[in-house]
Amino acid sequence: MADVRALVERCIAPLYPLEAQAEVSDDEMHALDARARAELSLPEGIFYNGLGYLDWDGNSTQWHPGIQPLVDELRASKNKGIDARNARVGAEHEAAKAAVRVWCSAA
C-alpha cells in the first residue's frame, strides 16, 4: 500500500514555486510618476524640467520626489493578492495530499 500511496502522491500536480513579493515595473513607475506630478506638489527647491527633477545643487532624479508612498501603496496592494494566491495554492495542495492519505488508508 505504501508503494501505491507514493505513486498516487507523485501524480498530484507539483506545488509551483510561490510568488515572491511584488516588483514594480517600469510602466507602473511611469504611471505612478504621472500620478505624482498630477496630485503632489514639489518640495521647496525642487523643480521639473520636462525630463526629470532637479534641485538647486544640480542633483537630479527621474522620479517625482514624493513617489515612494505611491510605490509602497502599489506594492502592498500587489503583495496582498500574491499572499492570497499563495495561501490558496498551498491549501489546495495540502487538501490534495490529505485526500490521497484518506484514500490510501481506506483501501
Side-chain angles (χ1 to χ4, degrees), residues 8-46:
V8 173
E9 282 183 342
R10 281 197 303 267
C11 293
I12 296 172
L15 179 61
Y16 291 105
L18 300 180
E19 293 184 43
Q21 295 300 292
E23 294 297 323
V24 179
S25 70
D26 285 343
D27 289 343
E28 290 168 325
M29 283 297 293
H30 286 286
L32 291 174
D33 189 62
R35 180 177 160 199
R37 279 196 316 266
E39 296 176 6
L40 305 173
S41 60
L42 289 173
E44 184 74 28
I46 305 287

Side-chain angles (χ1 to χ4, degrees), residues 51-99:
L51 299 174
Y53 301 89
L54 299 167
D55 66 16
W56 294 113
D57 295 326
N59 299 311
S60 66
T61 180
Q62 176 181 2
W63 309 116
H64 190 284
I67 199 171
Q68 192 58 50
L70 301 177
V71 171
D72 294 343
E73 177 184 307
L74 176 63
R75 227 181 236 138
S77 173
K78 290 172 80 172
N79 284 340
K80 186 176 179 182
I82 288 171
D83 291 342
R85 178 205 172 269
N86 288 347
R88 181 180 44 77
V89 167
E92 288 171 359
H93 198 260
E94 289 304 314
K97 290 192 317 188

